[in-house]
Amino acid sequence: MNKPLFGSRPSAAGVDLLRLAACAREIAHTGMQLAALGWTPATSSNFSMRLDTNHAAITTSGRDKGALTPEDVMVIDLDGRAVGTDARPSAETALHTQIYRRFPDAGAVLHTHSRTQTVASRLFAADGAVKLAGYELLKAFAGYATHDATLHIPVFPNTQEMGDLIARVDTWLDAGKPLRAYLIDGHGIYTWGRDMAETRRHLEALEFMLGCELDLRRLSK
Amino acid sequence: MNKPLFGSRPSAAGVDLLRLAACAREIAHTGMQLAALGWTPATSSNFSMRLDTNHAAITTSGRDKGALTPEDVMVIDLDGRAVGTDARPSAETALHTQIYRRFPDAGAVLHTHSRTQTVASRLFAADGAVKLAGYELLKAFAGYATHDATLHIPVFPNTQEMGDLIARVDTWLDAGKPLRAYLIDGHGIYTWGRDMAETRRHLEALEFMLGCELDLRRLSK
Amino acid sequence: MNKPLFGSRPSAAGVDLLRLAACAREIAHTGMQLAALGWTPATSSNFSMRLDTNHAAITTSGRDKGALTPEDVMVIDLDGRAVGTDARPSAETALHTQIYRRFPDAGAVLHTHSRTQTVASRLFAADGAVKLAGYELLKAFAGYATHDATLHIPVFPNTQEMGDLIARVDTWLDAGKPLRAYLIDGHGIYTWGRDMAETRRHLEALEFMLGCELDLRRLSK
Amino acid sequence: MNKPLFGSRPSAAGVDLLRLAACAREIAHTGMQLAALGWTPATSSNFSMRLDTNHAAITTSGRDKGALTPEDVMVIDLDGRAVGTDARPSAETALHTQIYRRFPDAGAVLHTHSRTQTVASRLFAADGAVKLAGYELLKAFAGYATHDATLHIPVFPNTQEMGDLIARVDTWLDAGKPLRAYLIDGHGIYTWGRDMAETRRHLEALEFMLGCELDLRRLSK
């Protein structure tokens, strides 16, 4: 029997191996670029891509995100259980699978940890959300055809209980409020899109607008 | 029939193909460098070069400006109509062609979107202009032989109606006021020069002086 | 007789030459990456790795930390004496050897000098310590399983007398207070870990949280 | 007759061609690194190295300092006259030659133009000098054995008359005041050392300490 190409052995689950290999490469490439920007300090952050209706590929915990190899990507089902591997998925995997379950169009999820994201999360935690308005870059999000719009990014309290965060996201969505991304206080951001390119575009737009908000606050005092 | 080398098929319009190939390469190279500086977040920004009296080469909309290929550059006439291609030019193309029409010496136009540019645009929008004075780097602009001079960069309100922006630029110019660049509120900057090298020099000088203005404002409060 | 491979000739001391070569490579590689981040300005900073119970490999003084070669790494015993070489170890070597003596698990020590570290050291010198609390990245330190914790980083006054600094570290430790890193006023940071990867993770987490503290202070005034 | 290797043809003046070639390479390499840091925006800045008692090699005006070739380096005598070339040295050449005349040990001069340098120059212009004290990095300057020292960096008013600047430098030196570097208001910094490596060390230390001063001022208000 051959040595498996990946940290996970997905044959039993019927996962498309070519799709998995392509996703692992795209996740590693994205990690290299985001790490170079300093958005994944101290082995933080995790990234995933949907493989099919029931599965996703996700980074295993604790790796340097700037030097990922295919072995650092594992397969999970959308209940967050490891598939074809003994590797333990990180606790935060549950936040990724929630996104894939609630947004059928979501094809990729990025969770990063830039200084701007963390500072914004702490600064706006008391308000419960960051309000982004008047930026041309709002148009980076499908459905936003003009800068003359407002995007609310909720800031949820940090917790080590993923169930609490999942419940907060569900509550927000069940109230019918639009959700493109969320911050966790003292921690980082989650955003998603139809594919990795769109998710990158969302992440870059959010980082940019959050940075502008911090600058404007410093300047207008 | 051969596959066209570029996204546009300019034979009918009589565009010089060698000039077009050279411009596409220079635009892609410039994009790679500006993207590395973080001035083109989330596929924003667009770049163009004049091909001849009646045509320009311009980036198509929505591409990652750090990874442009010749296919991402199209030909337009100076009324902003696509030439030899079915690709739709971006709405902002009209701002590029206005510059080529009003400044016969203009050979290149850069529109970028750095955090400094966006923050400055929002901060100075109420004043209608940023006043740059006393910088040695004013000498980056032809006609400025000393730091002891003032350069006004107007800040126009953002709008999705290009006609409104074009009218504002025309009004400014028709009043006989010098114009080397302009900001759009919450958006970014437009600047130009005789060739790409001069345009880059203008852009770098503007980014630098706007950054200094923001720093000085933070420091002198 | 052969030219020695390293600045030090450790045969007499029985140091493992393969281990020394591997440490020298890892130190040089780390230096290249930290220098690229701007954390080692003006040939400042020094790095070391434990070779065995009684020896460590450490950078010699005054080199550009972004361009280290094996010749820039020397062997010392844990009393800070050069082993198998006439090279003079830098005065700060004594701070490295103290860490290896007091923390038997310590396998690597990084002393760097980023602008954030220096500014934080000056700003918090009067308080005697920086208090880091509520950050998810506290979990970068073994023993911290939650963000809901506090890490104190002492700030010691700068001095050219290493004995004074050693006494301050000893006093802190002898009082039973936890110590994961310390700042020296106007100077930089020292941190350590079981191996170079863990030490890098600690350093990145500290730089990140110190940067957030400075940003939040600027923003909350 | 052969095409000259350099922009200048120094045979008549008896300049050592091998020394000139080595200096041109070192200047180009330094330019590439300083440009990557953003310290030479919009083709600003100039660099030189001493060739012998009577000559120096200096960058010609107006080139992108990140892409220098040997042709962008010319020979001048210490009165600032071009040697063996028709190229016109930049006006600021006179500030370089003054340094070589007044400091017989000076082997290299760097004039750069970072945002930190320019902002510091404007902020401290009214005081006439920046006072750097208490930094470990003061030890980057020969003669400074401790952080417990003070280095004054004068800020001279900007002018397009090099004679005025030369007179200010002469007045400062003739008063017996130590001078390791100077700022020009709204412009940039000049510093020097025995060779390029020492000059780089001085420049990095100055940039670092000026940046800390700006940060501390923002934070302590």
Side-chain angles (χ1 to χ4, degrees):
Chain A
M1 190 185 158
N2 289 332
K3 191 158 162 282
L5 264 166
F6 297 93
S8 47
R9 246 172 271 107
S11 54
V15 166
D16 180 337
L17 282 173
L18 285 179
R19 167 80 182 149
L20 174 58
C23 288
R25 274 197 304 274
E26 196 160 1
I27 285 171
H29 183 67
T30 300
M32 190 184 66
Q33 295 186 312
L34 299 181
L37 294 168
W39 299 2
T40 67
T43 77
S44 68
S45 307
N46 41 61
F47 318 131
S48 69
M49 289 185 77
R50 186 195 287 273
L51 292 170
D52 56 41
T53 317
N54 301 312
H55 298 92
I58 190 164
T59 45
T60 57
S61 195
R63 307 303 163 93
D64 175 353
K65 296 307 180 295
L68 293 174
T69 67
E71 278 74 22
D72 300 324
V73 175
M74 64 183 291
V75 178
I76 49 169
D77 65 25
L78 295 198
D79 295 316
R81 284 182 299 238
V83 172
T85 176
D86 298 329
R88 199 174 54 87
S90 92
E92 290 172 343
T93 295
L95 300 176
H96 289 249
T97 54
Q98 178 185 35
I99 291 164
Y100 292 118
R101 286 194 315 266
R102 302 256 355 194
F103 296 93
D105 282 352
V109 177
L110 292 173
H111 165 47
T112 59
H113 217 278
S114 78
R115 181 163 147 187
T116 291
Q117 291 156 14
T118 299
V119 169
S121 76
R122 297 201 75 156
L123 200 67
F124 294 100
D127 299 337
V130 190
K131 196 178 124 184
L132 301 171
Y135 292 101
E136 182 73 9
L137 271 194
L138 287 168
K139 291 165 63 185
F141 291 90
Y144 285 76
T146 169
H147 65 283
D148 194 9
T150 301
L151 177 62
H152 287 89
I153 310 296
V155 184
F156 298 126
N158 198 10
T159 168
Q160 300 304 316
E161 297 302 320
M162 290 306 112
D164 293 354
L165 277 167
I166 288 168
R168 287 187 184 272
V169 173
D170 278 335
T171 301
W172 183 280
L173 287 170
D174 293 344
K177 292 192 267 188
L179 188 71
R180 303 308 190 99
Y182 58 87
L183 287 161
I184 306 173
D185 183 16
H187 190 153
I189 204 165
Y190 277 83
T191 193
W192 53 91
R194 281 170 298 182
D195 52 27
M196 187 58 94
E198 187 178 85
T199 308
R200 279 288 298 275
R201 199 176 75 216
H202 291 170
L203 183 65
E204 286 180 29
L206 289 162
E207 172 78 12
F208 183 88
M209 292 187 282
L210 291 173
C212 288
E213 287 295 306
L214 296 185
D215 280 351
L216 286 167
R217 201 166 155 127
R218 275 188 276 254
L219 281 156
S220 59
K221 272 183 305 175
Chain B
M1 190 184 158
N2 289 332
K3 190 159 161 284
L5 264 168
F6 297 92
S8 47
R9 248 171 268 109
S11 55
V15 166
D16 180 337
L17 282 174
L18 285 179
R19 167 82 182 148
L20 173 58
C23 288
R25 273 197 305 273
E26 196 160 1
I27 286 171
H29 183 68
T30 300
M32 191 184 66
Q33 296 186 312
L34 299 181
L37 293 167
W39 298 3
T40 67
T43 77
S44 69
S45 308
N46 41 62
F47 319 132
S48 69
M49 290 185 77
R50 187 194 287 274
L51 291 170
D52 55 42
T53 318
N54 302 312
H55 298 92
I58 191 165
T59 45
T60 57
S61 193
R63 307 303 164 94
D64 174 354
K65 297 306 179 295
L68 293 174
T69 67
E71 278 74 21
D72 300 324
V73 175
M74 65 183 291
V75 178
I76 48 168
D77 66 25
L78 294 198
D79 295 317
R81 284 181 301 238
V83 172
T85 176
D86 299 329
R88 199 174 55 87
S90 92
E92 291 171 343
T93 295
L95 300 176
H96 289 249
T97 53
Q98 178 184 34
I99 290 163
Y100 292 118
R101 286 195 315 267
R102 302 255 356 192
F103 296 92
D105 282 352
V109 177
L110 292 174
H111 165 48
T112 58
H113 216 277
S114 78
R115 181 164 148 186
T116 291
Q117 291 156 15
T118 299
V119 169
S121 76
R122 297 201 75 155
L123 201 67
F124 295 100
D127 300 337
V130 190
K131 196 178 123 184
L132 301 171
Y135 291 101
E136 181 74 8
L137 271 193
L138 287 169
K139 292 165 61 183
F141 291 90
Y144 286 76
T146 169
H147 66 284
D148 194 9
T150 301
L151 177 63
H152 287 90
I153 311 297
V155 185
F156 298 127
N158 198 9
T159 168
Q160 300 305 315
E161 297 302 321
M162 291 305 112
D164 293 354
L165 277 167
I166 289 167
R168 287 186 185 273
V169 172
D170 278 335
T171 301
W172 183 280
L173 287 170
D174 293 344
K177 292 191 268 189
L179 188 71
R180 302 309 189 99
Y182 59 86
L183 288 161
I184 306 174
D185 183 17
H187 190 154
I189 205 165
Y190 277 82
T191 192
W192 51 91
R194 282 169 298 183
D195 52 27
M196 188 58 93
E198 187 178 85
T199 309
R200 278 287 298 275
R201 198 176 76 216
H202 291 170
L203 183 65
E204 286 180 29
L206 290 163
E207 171 78 12
F208 183 88
M209 291 186 283
L210 291 173
C212 288
E213 287 296 305
L214 297 185
D215 280 350
L216 287 166
R217 199 166 156 129
R218 274 188 276 254
L219 282 156
S220 59
K221 275 182 306 175
Chain C
M1 189 183 156
N2 289 332
K3 189 157 163 282
L5 263 167
F6 296 93
S8 47
R9 246 172 270 108
S11 54
V15 166
D16 180 338
L17 281 175
L18 285 180
R19 167 80 183 150
L20 174 58
C23 288
R25 274 198 304 274
E26 196 159 2
I27 286 171
H29 182 68
T30 300
M32 190 185 66
Q33 295 186 313
L34 299 182
L37 293 168
W39 299 3
T40 67
T43 77
S44 69
S45 308
N46 42 59
F47 318 131
S48 68
M49 289 184 77
R50 186 195 286 274
L51 292 170
D52 56 41
T53 317
N54 301 312
H55 299 92
I58 191 165
T59 46
T60 57
S61 195
R63 307 303 164 94
D64 175 353
K65 297 306 179 295
L68 293 173
T69 67
E71 278 73 23
D72 299 325
V73 175
M74 65 183 292
V75 178
I76 48 168
D77 65 25
L78 294 199
D79 294 316
R81 285 181 299 238
V83 173
T85 176
D86 298 330
R88 199 174 55 86
S90 93
E92 291 172 342
T93 295
L95 300 176
H96 290 248
T97 53
Q98 177 184 35
I99 291 163
Y100 292 118
R101 286 195 314 267
R102 302 257 353 193
F103 296 92
D105 281 353
V109 177
L110 292 173
H111 165 50
T112 59
H113 216 279
S114 79
R115 181 162 147 187
T116 291
Q117 292 156 14
T118 300
V119 169
S121 75
R122 297 201 75 157
L123 200 66
F124 294 99
D127 300 336
V130 191
K131 194 177 125 185
L132 302 172
Y135 291 101
E136 181 72 10
L137 272 193
L138 287 169
K139 291 164 64 183
F141 291 90
Y144 285 75
T146 170
H147 66 283
D148 194 8
T150 301
L151 177 63
H152 287 89
I153 310 296
V155 185
F156 298 126
N158 199 9
T159 169
Q160 300 305 316
E161 298 302 322
M162 290 306 113
D164 293 355
L165 278 167
I166 289 168
R168 287 187 185 271
V169 173
D170 278 335
T171 301
W172 183 279
L173 287 170
D174 293 344
K177 291 192 268 188
L179 188 72
R180 302 309 190 99
Y182 59 86
L183 288 162
I184 306 173
D185 183 16
H187 190 153
I189 203 164
Y190 277 83
T191 192
W192 52 92
R194 281 169 299 183
D195 52 28
M196 187 59 93
E198 187 178 87
T199 308
R200 279 287 297 274
R201 199 176 76 215
H202 291 170
L203 183 65
E204 286 181 30
L206 290 162
E207 171 77 11
F208 183 87
M209 292 186 282
L210 290 173
C212 288
E213 287 296 304
L214 296 185
D215 280 350
L216 287 167
R217 202 167 154 128
R218 275 188 276 254
L219 281 156
S220 60
K221 274 184 304 176
Chain D
M1 190 185 158
N2 291 332
K3 190 159 161 285
L5 264 169
F6 297 93
S8 46
R9 247 172 269 108
S11 55
V15 166
D16 180 337
L17 281 175
L18 285 180
R19 167 82 182 150
L20 174 57
C23 288
R25 273 197 305 273
E26 196 160 0
I27 286 171
H29 183 68
T30 299
M32 191 184 66
Q33 296 186 312
L34 299 181
L37 294 168
W39 298 3
T40 67
T43 77
S44 68
S45 307
N46 42 60
F47 318 132
S48 68
M49 288 185 77
R50 186 195 287 273
L51 292 169
D52 56 40
T53 318
N54 302 312
H55 298 93
I58 191 165
T59 46
T60 57
S61 195
R63 307 302 164 94
D64 175 354
K65 297 305 179 295
L68 293 174
T69 68
E71 277 74 23
D72 299 325
V73 175
M74 64 183 291
V75 178
I76 49 169
D77 66 25
L78 294 198
D79 295 317
R81 285 181 299 238
V83 172
T85 176
D86 298 329
R88 198 174 55 87
S90 93
E92 292 172 342
T93 295
L95 300 176
H96 289 249
T97 52
Q98 178 185 34
I99 290 163
Y100 292 118
R101 287 195 314 266
R102 302 253 359 189
F103 296 92
D105 281 352
V109 177
L110 293 173
H111 165 49
T112 58
H113 216 278
S114 78
R115 183 164 147 186
T116 291
Q117 291 156 14
T118 300
V119 169
S121 75
R122 298 202 74 156
L123 201 68
F124 294 100
D127 300 336
V130 191
K131 194 177 125 185
L132 301 172
Y135 291 101
E136 181 73 9
L137 272 193
L138 287 168
K139 291 165 62 183
F141 291 89
Y144 286 76
T146 169
H147 65 284
D148 194 9
T150 301
L151 176 63
H152 286 90
I153 311 296
V155 185
F156 298 127
N158 199 10
T159 168
Q160 301 303 317
E161 297 302 322
M162 291 306 112
D164 293 355
L165 277 167
I166 289 168
R168 287 186 185 272
V169 173
D170 278 335
T171 302
W172 183 279
L173 287 170
D174 293 344
K177 291 191 269 189
L179 188 71
R180 302 309 189 99
Y182 60 86
L183 288 161
I184 307 173
D185 183 16
H187 190 154
I189 204 164
Y190 277 83
T191 192
W192 52 91
R194 282 169 298 183
D195 52 28
M196 187 58 94
E198 187 178 85
T199 309
R200 278 287 297 275
R201 199 175 76 215
H202 291 171
L203 184 65
E204 286 180 28
L206 289 163
E207 171 77 11
F208 183 88
M209 292 186 282
L210 291 172
C212 288
E213 287 296 304
L214 297 185
D215 280 350
L216 287 166
R217 201 167 155 128
R218 274 189 276 255
L219 281 156
S220 59
K221 275 183 306 178

